Amino acid sequence: MQDVPTLVAQAREGRPRAVARLISLVEGASGQLREVMAALAPLAGNAYVVGLTGSPGVGKSTSTSALVTAYRRQGRRVGVLAVDPSSPFSGGALLGDRVRMSDHVSDPGVYIRSMATRGHLGGLAWAAPQAIRVLDAAGCDVILVETVGVGQSEVEIAAQADTSVVLLAPGMGDGIQAAKAGILEIGDVYVVNKADRDGADSTARELNHMLGLGESRSPGDWRPPIVKTVASREEGIDELVEALEKHRAWMDERGVLTERRRARAAHEVETIAVTALRERIGDLHGDRRVSALAERIVAGELDPYRAADELVAGLTEM
């Protein structure tokens, strides 16, 4: 058993080993998870969470690393959650992002954690919300969440980030892919990375055109900017940071940031509740009550919906 109060105190002091242990408790769904979350609740809520998403190969890891460098120049503590796809066989992940961000490993003002999706759809690890809370409570000013990059299931990042950054690159068919995946609806800032390649200007124009289609914004509403970068050379990264700060200021001014965080908390509560109910239903597999309901359905005495209502009513009374 871990001494949670001591771990939390050490994490607040910026000790990476304590932060690592807390996130491990979260990832492993430890029996101490509730104690950890209760201890962190009054300490979190200060970090600015930026999600980076996009198709594989657009340069998410390189862009994340460049953003870390820019924020560290400003003296900010930065946390990075780099979510890697899991092997469907072993459950393990490549964790290649940590390799790409090796320049920051020795910086005490940067904490980098690779997490595996473990089969969770939506481009995020299921434990990401709690891991974000750990980094927040540990004193990170900015938390960068880089998603898997699996194409059409990337929209979940919008539910976890204060600001969502969508990356595209020229020559990858990203314009059509963006429309297909629905990421034109989730981006707060768009980045055309690898802008030194042919086709960068046309990609930016196409993206601007697509963002304008069916646009129904009121005066004062946020219009996502398009920033061109060459992340491998840190070109355009200052402009990206400026766009992020403008979006944060706009959200603060209009109360959007508070509303997004409230919605995020509500989503997290719903997820935990649904998971608990699903576990209870799983425990009922082969249970006599389920068998009795099945028999009544087969006999034509009951329809599946009424049977499900009876089962749910029984679960909520437990």
Side-chain angles (χ1 to χ4, degrees), residues 10-250:
Q10 291 176 346
R12 294 285 288 172
E13 293 170 3
R15 298 192 192 181
R17 185 170 294 180
V19 177
R21 285 179 178 171
L22 286 171
I23 294 181
S24 293
L25 289 175
V26 165
E27 279 196 289
S30 163
Q32 293 180 282
L33 180 56
R34 291 177 181 272
E35 183 185 358
V36 171
M37 289 299 106
L40 296 179
L43 304 174
N46 302 306
Y48 176 42
V49 183
V50 178
L52 293 97
T53 189
S55 302
V58 297
K60 292 190 299 296
S61 297
T62 308
S63 298
T64 300
S65 181
L67 280 172
V68 171
T69 300
Y71 279 122
R72 288 299 293 144
R73 285 199 200 105
Q74 297 178 0
R76 302 196 197 186
R77 290 188 66 192
V78 183
V80 178
L81 283 183
V83 184
D84 284 280
S86 305
S87 163
F89 304 105
S90 67
L94 178 61
L95 308 183
D97 296 292
R98 181 167 290 184
V99 175
R100 297 187 190 98
M101 297 181 204
S102 57
D103 292 346
H104 306 292
V105 169
S106 60
D107 186 344
V110 179
Y111 183 87
I112 301 170
R113 177 75 174 214
S114 294
M115 300 181 73
T117 57
R118 303 190 182 184
H120 182 72
L121 295 177
L124 287 178
W126 74 271
Q130 290 81 22
I132 289 171
R133 189 172 286 109
V134 171
L135 293 177
D136 188 351
C140 290
D141 301 303
V142 179
I143 300 172
L144 304 175
V145 183
E146 180 198 331
T147 68
V148 171
V150 290
Q152 295 185 45
S153 60
E154 290 292 88
V155 294
E156 189 173 310
I157 187 59
Q160 300 300 335
D162 296 324
T163 298
S164 296
V165 178
V166 176
L167 286 93
L168 304 96
M172 298 185 68
D174 274 329
I176 296 172
Q177 183 67 19
K180 245 169 61 177
I183 58 176
L184 289 176
E185 299 170 8
I186 68 160
D188 299 304
V189 176
Y190 289 86
V191 173
V192 177
N193 189 35
K194 304 182 181 181
D196 53 341
R197 291 186 178 180
D198 291 339
D201 290 338
S202 61
T203 298
R205 281 195 304 270
E206 181 184 1
L207 179 58
N208 187 55
H209 173 69
M210 294 175 73
L211 286 171
L213 289 175
E215 196 174 63
S216 57
R217 293 186 175 87
S218 303
D221 283 356
W222 178 257
R223 191 186 194 287
I226 300 170
V227 182
K228 289 192 286 187
T229 65
V230 183
S232 59
R233 300 201 295 260
E234 296 185 11
E235 294 176 9
I237 298 301
D238 288 340
E239 289 78 3
L240 175 54
V241 171
E242 182 181 352
L244 293 173
E245 291 304 314
K246 284 182 178 178
H247 184 243
R248 185 179 187 177
W250 176 84

Side-chain angles (χ1 to χ4, degrees), residues 227-278:
V227 182
K228 289 192 286 187
T229 65
V230 183
S232 59
R233 300 201 295 260
E234 296 185 11
E235 294 176 9
I237 298 301
D238 288 340
E239 289 78 3
L240 175 54
V241 171
E242 182 181 352
L244 293 173
E245 291 304 314
K246 284 182 178 178
H247 184 243
R248 185 179 187 177
W250 176 84
M251 289 191 296
D252 277 332
E253 180 185 330
R254 294 177 173 264
V256 175
L257 184 57
T258 300
E259 187 55 40
R260 284 193 177 191
R261 290 180 175 179
R262 189 179 294 122
R264 192 157 75 211
H267 176 73
E268 189 175 356
V269 170
E270 290 172 8
T271 300
I272 292 169
V274 168
T275 300
L277 285 172
R278 186 179 294 120

